[in-house]
Amino acid sequence: MSAIEYTKKNKFLKIGLFIGLLALSTVSCNDDFLEKTPETDIDAGNFFNTEGDLNLYIYNLYNFPSTGIYTADAYNLTDNAFSTGNVELKTMMTTNPSSTTITGGWDWGQLRNFNFFLAHFRRANAAEDRLNHFEGLARFFRARFYVDKIKRYSDVPWIDVPLEANSEDILFAGRDPRETVVNHLIEDYEFAMNNVDVSAPKGAVNRWVVKADYARFLLYEGTFRKYHAELNLSESADELLQKAAAVAKEIMDSGTFSLYSTGKPNEDYGSLFASADLSSNPEIIFGRFYQANVLNGDSGEGVFGNYETYPQKDLVQAYLMKDGSFYSSRPNYQQNEFVEEFSNRDPRLYQTFAYPGWVLVRSGTYAQGTGLYVQQLAKNFSGYHQIKGFYNTTDQDVRNNMDVPLYRFAEVLLIYAEARAELAQLTQGDLDITVNKLRDRVGMPHMTLNPPMDPVEAAKFPNLSSAQRSELLEIRRERRVELAMEGLRHDDLMRWEAGKVLEKEPQGIYFASLGKHDLTGEGVPDIYLLPASQSIPNDKETNSLGKVLQYYRVGTFGQDVSVFLGGANAGNIQIIEDVGTFVAPKYYYRPIPQQQIMLNPNLKQIFDWE
């Protein structure tokens, strides 16, 4: 790291401390929507004087995730991964939720910060283009804030002025229609897209970040309106999808970004998620950049899958065969055991999951021992382990140094392809500059127009209405595989109106029988499955390689065993006994907490929430 970079990082640390104090002096500790603490408690005229002041304030608005993206597919509940932890939607599906039990999310403190800045920043002595840049940044962060609120509640109050103690008309406002709020936040995005600086220091938002985030939202909102009839907004869906394609194409045509590839199809994809320096990577539009002992990152221990989160079989089965055919077209594919399941598949499978023969270098509380890895079935409830985002090294400094990619050019390509297919405008040329670029990186066959229809995928999405249905199904598959475990799958299922997919019981690897099984691909057994009626012997058997077999007692839910199987003597590993019911359209949204309804009777519940 250069002296300049070191200085910048220390500057950011000092800025963070300053802003923490500033935030305490400008806002109440209570983030409730109805809290009336005035923003004008500070003398804005004495603060917003220079461009440096504006920078200091803006840095406080950054709220991007880090390694949490790698476990978000589980903690948000998807068909990619499952969590045995306290997950909101899982709890909703297995209980009788209400506005008294679902109480998170209705926080508006950060909105006060955006609006306070926008009300006062033009007092600074700065050129007009610099002022427009800072306005664009604040409006970008406000748009992102409202995107999260739209996703959770749909109709929410639109507020674009600072809340004052006497702002009764705002403090007791009702919900504005989703369409109204989206129109406002699109105005924010558009202003930001045209005014935020094209370039920015490492780790700061620039115009390309704005465009990537905007394109992501446009695809989300366009497809959400298209597939959610309860909104009565389907007529405006195509306009949003057209805009999503256009913004994505602007990024593509700029020549600023490209897919990272060094000609190593078995390594290049996975290296994006275990890199100590992504700042110069041509694929990264935006990321979290770390430097060990200066600004430490998260070592990613929770990613591996021996704590609360577990990848699901459904995701593993979604990857194509190496020749481009459907894995689900293999005879008796559902009864393939672990080693066969990973044979001749899309190389991204081996760069996302611990495959037979994978070597563990790092050891810890989540995984004892190093070397050729054998699943610890008593710790991992599915048998699948995630290595995407798992830093397999013993060097703590290296683990603290790993950067996290948040916006990749790969996603932009998929936004463009999906929007075009939803509009039934997808051409072979579109595929060649998007999906097929991704497949080239990993040495997979190209996708063509009118591909064969996979009945397994088609059954998941019976509501597809595009004339290019088979193309759209494969683009959705490509998106799932390319962006797996990056925290985007939940939003995808929600916008596609595919919540019912979550009712499928999450499953793990398949065992055709009790007894001995090979999990490393060496052709010799590694584990021994015993029935619940037997005890694990003191003298354990050793295989022909001199390794002691790992023993597990197997049974069904309710029995005192280490592994649950779907059948008495064979089946998939079972993760949970009851997945519950996804109530549509209700569970696509959340209720306003009852306490807030009591404080402000103008707020009304919608979509069957009481």
Side-chain angles (χ1 to χ4, degrees):
M1 182 176 58
S2 70
I4 293 177
E5 289 174 321
Y6 184 86
T7 300
K8 285 181 178 179
K9 287 185 178 291
N10 278 281
K11 177 182 177 183
F12 292 156
L13 290 174
K14 292 175 182 176
I15 287 170
L17 292 173
F18 174 84
I19 290 174
L21 296 173
L22 176 65
L24 290 174
S25 67
T26 58
V27 301
S28 166
C29 293
N30 188 338
D31 279 345
D32 286 348
F33 176 58
L34 293 179
E35 183 65 32
K36 299 182 182 180
T37 302
E39 291 284 6
T40 50
D41 280 354
I42 70 166
D43 187 345
N46 289 332
F47 178 74
F48 294 102
N49 296 321
T50 67
E51 187 171 326
D53 291 346
L54 304 186
N55 265 316
L56 285 175
Y57 197 105
I58 285 293
Y59 286 140
N60 190 41
L61 306 182
Y62 279 68
N63 61 342
F64 294 97
S66 182
T67 54
I69 66 170
Y70 297 129
T71 53
D73 279 0
Y75 285 125
N76 289 330
L77 196 59
T78 69
D79 53 351
N80 282 355
F82 194 82
S83 172
T84 54
N86 184 19
V87 176
E88 183 182 70
L89 184 52
K90 181 182 71 174
T91 301
M92 288 168 54
M93 290 176 61
T94 55
T95 63
N96 185 26
S98 70
S99 60
T100 60
T101 61
I102 307 299
T103 59
W106 194 258
D107 52 284
W108 297 81
Q110 191 72 330
L111 179 61
R112 294 199 298 267
N113 296 338
F114 307 139
N115 289 338
F116 184 69
F117 178 87
L118 290 168
H120 300 291
F121 80 100
R122 285 194 173 272
R123 299 181 184 185
N125 182 20
E128 183 66 17
D129 63 326
R130 302 308 299 150
L131 292 173
N132 288 340
H133 162 74
F134 285 107
E135 179 177 352
L137 287 173
R139 294 181 70 171
F140 165 68
F141 284 116
R142 183 171 66 183
R144 292 181 73 247
F145 172 89
Y146 265 108
V147 167
D148 287 342
K149 290 294 181 279
I150 286 288
K151 288 178 180 178
R152 189 169 177 87
Y153 302 106
S154 195
D155 297 355
V156 292
W158 171 262
I159 303 168
D160 58 5
V161 296
L163 293 179
E164 308 290 351
N166 59 354
S167 302
E168 298 293 323
D169 56 331
I170 299 175
L171 292 169
F172 292 95
R175 303 169 84 143
D176 289 312
R178 182 188 188 109
E179 191 171 23
T180 298
V181 178
V182 168
N183 287 342
H184 283 305
L185 69 87
I186 283 178
E187 291 175 358
D188 278 353
Y189 270 124
E190 289 282 342
F191 185 91
M193 188 174 67
N194 292 316
N195 289 282
V196 170
D197 288 349
V198 173
S199 61
K202 175 181 174 181
V205 170
N206 60 26
R207 191 173 300 184
W208 302 114
V209 179
V210 173
K211 289 187 177 184
D213 193 78
Y214 186 26
R216 179 187 286 181
F217 169 70
L218 289 165
L219 181 70
Y220 176 91
E221 185 66 11
T223 48
F224 201 99
R225 293 187 184 191
K226 179 175 182 177
Y227 292 109
H228 285 267
E230 71 274 9
L231 293 180
N232 294 314
L233 293 174
S234 60
E235 291 183 358
S236 57
D238 282 2
E239 180 182 354
L240 293 169
L241 292 170
Q242 293 279 13
K243 185 66 175 177
V247 175
K249 196 63 161 55
E250 287 180 19
I251 301 173
M252 293 162 62
D253 290 344
S254 72
T256 307
F257 305 98
S258 62
L259 294 180
Y260 172 74
S261 178
T262 66
K264 298 177 180 179
N266 296 321
E267 299 177 18
D268 287 339
Y269 171 77
S271 68
L272 290 166
F273 313 100
S275 174
D277 186 7
L278 291 173
S279 61
S280 59
N281 189 296
E283 185 167 340
I284 306 305
I285 299 174
F286 187 70
R288 293 293 298 272
F289 304 112
Y290 295 103
Q291 181 67 50
N293 302 315
V294 177
L295 189 63
N296 286 339
D298 184 339
S299 59
E301 288 198 4
V303 171
F304 190 60
N306 274 351
Y307 177 53
E308 286 184 350
T309 65
Y310 317 99
Q312 291 193 43
K313 179 183 233 28
D314 194 82
L315 173 57
V316 174
Q317 292 183 331
Y319 290 75
L320 295 172
M321 299 299 294
K322 179 63 176 173
D323 63 5
S325 61
F326 306 137
Y327 175 72
S328 58
S329 67
R330 307 294 99 175
N332 301 314
Y333 76 98
Q334 292 175 318
Q335 282 74 50
N336 282 340
E337 292 207 19
F338 185 68
V339 173
E340 178 61 25
E341 199 168 26
F342 278 77
S343 177
N344 297 316
R345 305 291 298 278
D346 183 331
R348 285 171 291 191
L349 180 64
Y350 315 113
Q351 296 169 71
T352 302
F353 297 101
Y355 51 85
W358 180 74
V359 175
L360 176 66
V361 174
R362 173 185 173 190
S363 184
T365 56
Y366 53 88
Q368 284 73 49
T370 58
L372 200 62
Y373 190 72
V374 180
Q375 276 75 2
Q376 295 177 286
L377 301 181
K379 280 191 161 189
N380 181 294
F381 285 9
S382 72
Y384 298 111
H385 289 87
Q386 177 182 337
I387 59 174
K388 181 176 179 178
F390 175 73
Y391 309 141
N392 190 23
T393 173
T394 59
D395 191 324
Q396 183 66 50
D397 281 349
V398 172
R399 297 202 296 262
N400 288 338
N401 203 46
M402 295 295 182
D403 292 343
V404 181
L406 298 180
Y407 292 84
R408 295 196 288 128
F409 187 57
E411 183 190 353
V412 173
L413 300 183
L414 291 164
I415 289 172
Y416 180 75
E418 183 181 345
R420 294 279 288 174
E422 286 285 6
L423 294 163
Q425 297 172 352
L426 186 76
T427 67
Q428 185 61 50
D430 292 333
L431 288 174
D432 289 341
I433 62 174
T434 57
V435 171
N436 291 335
K437 290 289 187 183
L438 298 172
R439 294 192 175 188
D440 284 342
R441 168 162 56 191
V442 292
M444 286 290 290
H446 279 194
M447 177 182 168
T448 61
L449 292 177
N450 301 310
M453 182 105 49
D454 181 353
V456 174
E457 289 298 304
K460 293 179 182 178
F461 308 114
N463 60 344
L464 277 184
S465 58
S466 171
Q468 293 183 311
R469 187 164 184 251
S470 60
E471 289 89 344
L472 195 51
L473 284 172
E474 288 310 302
I475 289 170
R476 287 186 178 187
R477 182 205 303 277
E478 193 72 21
R479 180 178 174 87
R480 184 183 190 186
V481 165
E482 177 68 27
L483 304 177
M485 308 304 190
E486 294 181 54
L488 299 174
R489 182 64 175 178
H490 177 80
D491 280 353
D492 288 347
L493 294 177
M494 296 301 100
R495 65 189 176 89
W496 294 334
E497 208 255 331
K500 287 294 182 180
V501 167
L502 301 177
E503 294 181 353
K504 180 182 178 181
E505 180 185 358
Q507 296 179 331
I509 62 179
Y510 180 83
F511 290 104
S513 65
L514 301 185
K516 303 173 187 177
H517 295 270
D518 173 25
L519 295 180
T520 63
E522 295 178 298
V524 298
D526 306 296
I527 67 170
Y528 202 136
L529 302 183
L530 298 175
S533 58
Q534 293 187 19
S535 299
I536 296 176
N538 292 325
D539 295 326
K540 299 180 177 62
E541 184 175 332
T542 300
N543 65 21
S544 61
L545 299 177
K547 298 177 181 178
V548 178
L549 299 185
Q550 297 180 13
Y551 283 70
Y552 299 96
R553 295 174 63 248
V554 176
T556 58
F557 289 114
Q559 293 184 295
D560 182 18
V561 294
S562 298
V563 178
F564 302 116
L565 280 189
N569 300 306
N572 293 296
I573 294 179
Q574 306 297 292
I575 300 174
I576 188 172
E577 189 170 10
D578 179 22
V579 295
T581 303
F582 188 95
V583 180
K586 183 176 181 178
Y587 288 1
Y588 289 109
Y589 313 92
R590 301 294 183 269
I592 296 175
Q594 181 60 29
Q595 181 184 18
Q596 298 302 318
I597 298 288
M598 294 173 64
L599 291 170
N600 179 5
N602 292 318
L603 295 172
K604 308 295 182 183
Q605 302 287 14
I606 57 177
F607 297 120
D608 298 326
W609 289 101
E610 78 290 348

